Amino acid sequence: RHTRSSTVSWARRCVSETALIQTHHDYLAAGAEALMAATFGANLFNPLAEFSEATLAEDLDVLVGLARESAGEHVLVAASVGPLGLFADSDPGSSELKEHYRRHLEILRETECDLIAFETFTSLKEALIALEQAHSLQLPCLISFATDDSGGLEDGDSLRHWVDHINQSEALAVGCNCSPDITAAVQVARRLRELTELPLIMRPNAGQPDSVGHYPVTAQVYAKQAVALFEAGVDVIGGCCGTSPEYIAAVAEALREHGEHGDDSGADLS
C-alpha cells in the first residue's frame, strides 16, 4: 500500500479512496481495457487544492496507486495531466512552463503509471512544452485536445497546424476529448485520420449539460456514435464529461457486435 500522511489531501476530500477503487472496478467490469488515474486537476496551480510540492507528490502517488491496485498487472494505467491553467491571467514564458511541467512529470515518474495522458489541452504552445518535457524524461505519453461545439479548436488554430506539430513530437497517440458534440467528434476523427498516421484517441462528452448538470446523450446513442468513430479510424475510444461505466459497457457491446458483422474485431477501450 502507499504511504499516507495524517493530512487529508485535496483529492481525498473530494472523493473517498473506497469510492475511487469501486469506480475503477466498475469501468473494468464494463469492458474498459485501460484506466485513467484521477489526477487531472492535481497540480500546484489548482486554486482549490492548495497543494505544496510534498502534498502533491503524495496525492499523485496515492491516486495512481489506487488505479494500479484496481488494474492489476495486465491493464494499462495512465496518469491524467491537464493544462496547468497558467494562461488564465498571463502568458508565462516557455522556460517557466518547462520548469513546472518537468517537476510535475518527475513526480509522476516515481508513481506506478504506465504512461502520461495529456488531455483537454487548448494551447498548442503548452501542449508542445508538455510533450517535450515528457520526452526528455523518457515518459511515454499521448495527447488529446479539447474542441468546441462545432468541432473546432478552442484556441482558434487550425487542426492541421496542431497535428503537423504533434506529428513531429514523440507522442504515441493523438486525439480529442471533452468534445461537447459527439457527431462533430466523428467529423474531427475523419479529418485527423487524414492528417496523421499516429493512433487516434477520441473521448467525447455526452453532449452539453443543462442548468442542472444533466447530459442529453444516452449511453445507447453514444455507443452508436462510437461505432462511427471506429469506422473513421479511431483506435482508442472512451468517454469524458457526462459518461460513466454504463456508457463504456454500451460502447464495448456495440463494438463487439460491429466486429461480429464486419472485417475487424474491435477497438481498444478506455
Side-chain angles (χ1 to χ4, degrees):
R1 296 285 288 183
H2 309 275
T3 302
R4 296 162 170 79
S5 72
S6 58
T7 302
V8 179
S9 69
W10 165 75
R12 279 168 275 159
R13 288 201 303 268
C14 294
V15 61
S16 72
E17 294 179 19
T18 301
L20 272 176
I21 291 172
Q22 184 60 56
T23 299
H24 288 316
H25 283 306
D26 289 346
Y27 274 103
L28 291 172
E33 296 176 356
L35 290 177
M36 190 84 76
T39 54
F40 178 79
N43 65 68
L44 291 173
F45 303 95
N46 186 331
L48 302 176
E50 300 180 351
F51 279 120
S52 67
E53 192 162 304
T55 58
L56 174 62
E58 182 185 347
D59 259 28
L60 292 176
D61 180 61
V62 169
L63 292 169
V64 173
L66 293 174
R68 169 57 63 206
E69 190 175 309
S70 304
E73 298 180 358
H74 304 297
V75 174
L76 287 176
V77 171
S80 170
V81 177
L84 296 182
L86 297 180
F87 286 95
D89 302 314
S90 62
D91 185 358
S94 295
S95 59
E96 183 183 355
L97 270 177
K98 286 179 181 179
E99 178 184 347
H100 292 317
Y101 271 105
R102 185 173 186 85
R103 184 62 197 124
H104 192 80
L105 293 170
E106 284 175 340
I107 295 172
L108 283 172
R109 185 174 58 176
E110 300 304 313
T111 70
E112 298 178 274
C113 68
D114 297 301
L115 72 160
I116 305 298
F118 294 115
E119 57 175 338
T120 327
F121 274 68
T122 59
S123 160
L124 178 59
K125 173 184 176 181
E126 186 169 4
L128 292 176
I129 287 173
L131 289 169
E132 177 189 17
Q133 294 309 302
H135 177 56
S136 72
L137 294 169
Q138 298 184 314
L139 288 171
C141 62
L142 52 85
I143 181 82
S144 64
F145 42 87
T147 58
D148 60 24
D149 292 356
S150 64
L153 297 172
E154 293 195 354
D155 66 355
D157 212 340
S158 73
L159 192 63
R160 177 180 289 278
H161 186 231
W162 268 72
V163 176
D164 282 348
H165 281 85
I166 301 301
N167 282 338
Q168 299 173 46
S169 75
E170 298 296 326
L172 299 178
V174 64
C176 297
N177 73 290
C178 214
S179 309
D181 187 331
I182 191 169
T183 303
V186 175
Q187 301 304 318
V188 171
R190 290 173 180 152
R191 181 61 174 148
L192 282 172
R193 188 71 288 161
E194 295 172 353
L195 296 172
T196 186
E197 295 181 358
L198 287 170
L200 293 185
I201 309 159
M202 296 298 289
R203 296 172 49 234
N205 295 347
Q208 281 277 27
D210 60 22
S211 59
V212 295
H214 174 261
Y215 286 81
V217 178
T218 66
Q220 290 69 35
V221 171
Y222 195 93
K224 290 180 181 179
Q225 292 300 315
V227 172
L229 288 171
F230 179 63
E231 292 177 335
V234 176
D235 301 281
V236 180
I237 300 171
C240 201
C241 303
T243 63
S244 67
E246 176 189 1
Y247 285 72
I248 298 304
V251 168
E253 179 61 26
L255 290 175
R256 277 193 292 269
E257 291 180 358
H258 180 74
E260 290 171 1
H261 295 93
D263 295 330
D264 295 300
S265 61
D268 295 324
L269 303 174
S270 66

